[in-house]
Amino acid sequence: MTLTDTFKARAIATLWRMLSWRTPASLWRFSGRIEPLYSLIAARERRVTRINLRQAYPGLARADNKQLMHDSLHHSVATIMELGFAWMGDPARVRDSIHQVYGRELLDEARAEGRGVVVLAPHFGNWEILNFWLSSHFPFTAMYEPPKITPLDPITRQGRERMGAELVPTNSRGVAALLKALKRSEAIGILPDQVPSWGSGVFADFFGRPAYTATLLPKLVARTNARVVTGVAKRLPDGAGFDIHFLAADERVYARDETTSATGVNACVEAVIALDPAQYQWEYKRYRRTLGEDENLPGWRENRLYSSKHR
């Protein structure tokens, strides 16, 4: 822990506390004023978003791609601005910001049958609001990786755990805790669109291109008979609040074959993105691992999506 990290953590925490009193609508307007500056200085995020959108929507006109890029960055800024609200805001105010919950019966039915529920929660809308709702209504466990700014860890952890969520580490001990929660017919959360380390995933289609995808899900399902759903907190127009959506998973997620299951996971993410493509966090390098890279096969460097030739 450095003095610089301590200062950064205090400044960020102070900002979150200040913003926790604002409404989602005012935070949305504030984010709209910040987005042009963010887009100007965040060259990497702007470039990766543009490339990912080209891959996902190759027929999109250049002007439409640019507009969707700015809309997506606006939503990303809004998510950051809303962290204080989600983690530190009065729980009643956060609860009131959630207008509708669609598909809740998918969770209720599974638990009535004595089955655990795996909630695939992509980086869409505001996933911290989703965590707030889930941990308010069900015993809920999720993996947690501490932030890079170490002094922020207790603040982040407290914010995510305040409604009863249990956070477990991203290691074998954490996986064991997820299995135990599912066997108790509880709900767990998994981020399905993060790139895992080598050996923890397989390549599976995502918007027409192989993406290295985690294989944790089929291992959990095979050992627990859990139901899988996709869950998101979708931001309403003009930041008027959120709707929670739970969607039945693509049937391929239940396959024992890891590649088939991973393809189903990516299909689940695509289905959620279709709700509103602008609300997905496109600036993440979802395709940063390339076929043949781990084996150092000829041609893998030329096939990288984020190389200079794809600018």
Side-chain angles (χ1 to χ4, degrees):
M1 185 184 301
T2 66
L3 187 61
T4 300
D5 281 350
T6 301
F7 176 78
K8 287 180 180 178
R10 288 178 179 174
I12 293 170
T14 299
L15 177 62
W16 282 340
R17 289 190 184 96
M18 292 171 58
L19 295 177
S20 70
W21 295 95
R22 305 288 293 271
T23 65
S26 66
L27 292 171
W28 175 254
R29 292 192 296 270
F30 184 39
S31 302
R33 291 193 288 270
I34 294 176
E35 186 277 325
L37 176 61
Y38 176 71
S39 181
L40 182 66
I41 64 177
R44 175 206 167 276
E45 286 75 12
R46 187 177 67 248
R47 174 175 173 266
V48 173
T49 296
R50 186 172 62 247
I51 292 172
N52 283 340
L53 287 173
R54 278 196 208 130
Q55 176 62 40
Y57 308 108
L60 201 62
R62 186 180 184 88
D64 293 334
N65 180 293
K66 184 177 180 180
Q67 184 59 56
L68 186 52
M69 176 194 72
H70 284 292
D71 291 344
S72 175
L73 294 177
H74 184 177
H75 279 281
S76 292
V77 174
T79 299
I80 295 171
M81 294 295 103
E82 291 162 356
L83 287 178
F85 177 75
W87 290 344
M88 302 174 182
D90 177 66
R93 291 180 61 236
V94 179
R95 195 175 299 115
D96 288 345
S97 74
I98 301 170
H99 292 244
Q100 299 288 338
V101 178
Y102 299 97
R104 173 177 175 156
E105 66 276 4
L106 296 172
L107 286 78
D108 291 334
E109 290 168 2
R111 300 198 70 217
E113 295 168 359
R115 301 169 65 185
V117 181
V118 180
V119 180
L120 302 177
H123 289 87
F124 177 101
N126 191 317
W127 47 94
E128 299 299 344
I129 296 293
L130 177 67
N131 172 75
F132 177 95
W133 188 91
L134 281 166
S135 54
S136 299
H137 291 81
F138 303 96
F140 182 64
T141 304
M143 283 187 160
Y144 171 75
E145 187 170 353
K148 293 180 180 179
I149 301 176
T150 305
L152 277 178
D153 181 41
I155 300 168
T156 303
R157 181 179 290 275
Q158 182 178 7
R160 288 179 170 168
E161 290 182 330
R162 69 176 181 144
M163 302 309 293
E166 180 182 356
L167 302 182
V168 298
T170 55
N171 55 28
S172 57
R173 187 161 60 90
V175 173
L178 295 182
L179 282 167
K180 290 178 181 178
L182 290 175
K183 290 177 180 178
R184 294 193 299 265
S185 303
E186 297 176 1
I188 70 165
I190 292 180
L191 296 173
D193 50 359
Q194 286 189 320
V195 179
S197 58
W198 287 118
S200 298
V202 294
F203 283 97
D205 184 86
F206 182 58
F207 282 108
R209 184 182 178 90
Y212 199 62
T213 306
T215 53
L216 174 61
L217 182 64
K219 295 179 174 66
L220 294 174
V221 171
R223 296 179 62 180
T224 62
N225 191 36
R227 170 174 282 186
V228 184
V229 303
T230 313
V232 294
K234 182 176 178 285
R235 193 173 288 109
L236 295 175
D238 300 320
F242 307 90
D243 280 347
I244 304 291
H245 292 260
F246 294 109
L247 287 71
D250 185 290
E251 286 298 317
R252 287 172 290 183
V253 302
Y254 298 104
R256 296 297 179 94
D257 177 74
E258 292 183 339
T259 300
T260 302
S261 178
T263 302
V265 169
N266 288 340
C268 291
V269 178
E270 291 183 17
V272 161
I273 293 172
L275 295 174
D276 185 355
Q279 296 203 35
Y280 188 61
Q281 194 177 54
W282 293 103
E283 63 261 40
Y284 182 63
K285 289 187 175 181
R286 185 67 179 83
Y287 304 102
R288 65 185 175 90
R289 299 199 189 280
T290 303
L291 280 169
E293 179 182 356
D294 193 34
E295 302 89 351
N296 199 27
L297 298 177
W300 75 264
R301 294 181 186 276
E302 291 74 18
N303 289 327
R304 289 179 298 178
L305 186 62
Y306 308 111
S307 62
S308 58
K309 71 173 184 174
H310 292 105
R311 286 183 183 274

